[in-house]
Amino acid sequence: MRVRNRKGATELLEANPQFVILKPEEAKGKWHEIFGNDHPIHIEVGSGKGAFITGMAKQNPDINYIGIDIQKSVLSYALDKVLEVDVPNIKLLWVDGDSLTNYFEDGEIDQLYLNFSDPWPKKRHEKRRLTYKSFLDTFKQILPEHGEIHFKTDNRGLFEYSLVSFSQYGMTLKGVWLDLHASDFEGNVMTEYEKKFSSKGQVIYRVEAQF
């Protein structure tokens, strides 16, 4: 999700350390201590403006959620939603998805979400896709044995690529939805992109893949 630079984004993030972890390297191995409980920890890589992560946190108070985005302005909008919802089980990180092992110990995260990731459609950009094998290496390291990735997209090409990537990596496809909103799936929390695209009649794809 590309947005213009937001004036005051840095100041807003720095003013809310109860939600924004400003020195994430120091949090490695200490996430349960930071949340103040031993609840499962789920992360969303590429959290956008925060609709999904806040919705999930409200829906599941016994799960801790961490929203991650590389764009500072985008994360500041996510913080707006977090402040509005005001639930204690959310933290935000302004970091890159390919460096997660700097911020999480092996197996420290229980589940990972990828929602409407940039499809990077050109072949030369394949390594930038979040379901490329090098990213899967990183995700596998911070997830427990048999940890899961839950992936949603409106982009059929990226979805098909990801199914192949997961399978070639040796992951198990626990569930595949070729039209999520027409299915009987319960408890779906929509992202901003999902609301926009589905309102236009676009199909939403979903998969749950397990290491």
Side-chain angles (χ1 to χ4, degrees), residues 8-144:
T10 300
E11 291 78 8
L12 179 62
L13 296 174
E14 291 178 347
N16 290 278
Q18 74 276 29
F19 292 119
V20 182
I21 306 303
L22 299 172
K23 296 181 179 180
E25 297 89 349
E26 297 178 5
K28 184 175 181 178
K30 301 177 182 177
W31 284 102
H32 284 116
E33 180 181 334
I34 289 170
F35 278 105
N37 58 56
D38 59 357
H39 296 164
I41 299 173
H42 294 188
I43 66 174
E44 182 188 16
V45 181
S47 57
K49 294 184 178 180
F52 178 82
I53 203 77
T54 54
M56 291 295 285
K58 287 174 64 178
Q59 185 171 288
N60 304 287
D62 292 332
I63 297 175
N64 299 320
Y65 291 92
I66 301 173
I68 295 167
D69 209 284
I70 187 58
Q71 297 184 74
K72 181 168 52 179
S73 293
V74 170
L75 199 69
S76 73
Y77 287 116
L79 177 59
D80 288 340
K81 280 195 173 62
V82 171
L83 292 171
E84 179 183 334
V85 173
D86 193 24
V87 291
N89 55 328
I90 299 181
K91 303 296 180 188
L92 299 175
L93 294 184
W94 174 36
V95 300
D96 198 341
D98 67 359
S99 58
L100 298 182
T101 53
N102 293 333
Y103 317 114
F104 302 106
E105 287 284 6
D106 294 359
E108 192 171 16
I109 300 306
D110 294 279
Q111 193 163 289
L112 187 145
Y113 303 95
L114 300 174
N115 293 316
F116 299 86
S117 308
D118 193 325
W120 294 106
K122 295 181 180 179
K123 179 64 177 177
R124 68 175 184 270
H125 293 150
E126 179 185 8
K127 292 182 179 180
R128 298 184 183 184
R129 298 171 193 163
L130 290 183
T131 52
Y132 182 69
K133 59 184 178 181
S134 62
F135 282 101
L136 298 182
D137 285 339
T138 297
F139 300 154
K140 182 179 182 180
Q141 188 169 339
I142 64 174
L143 286 166

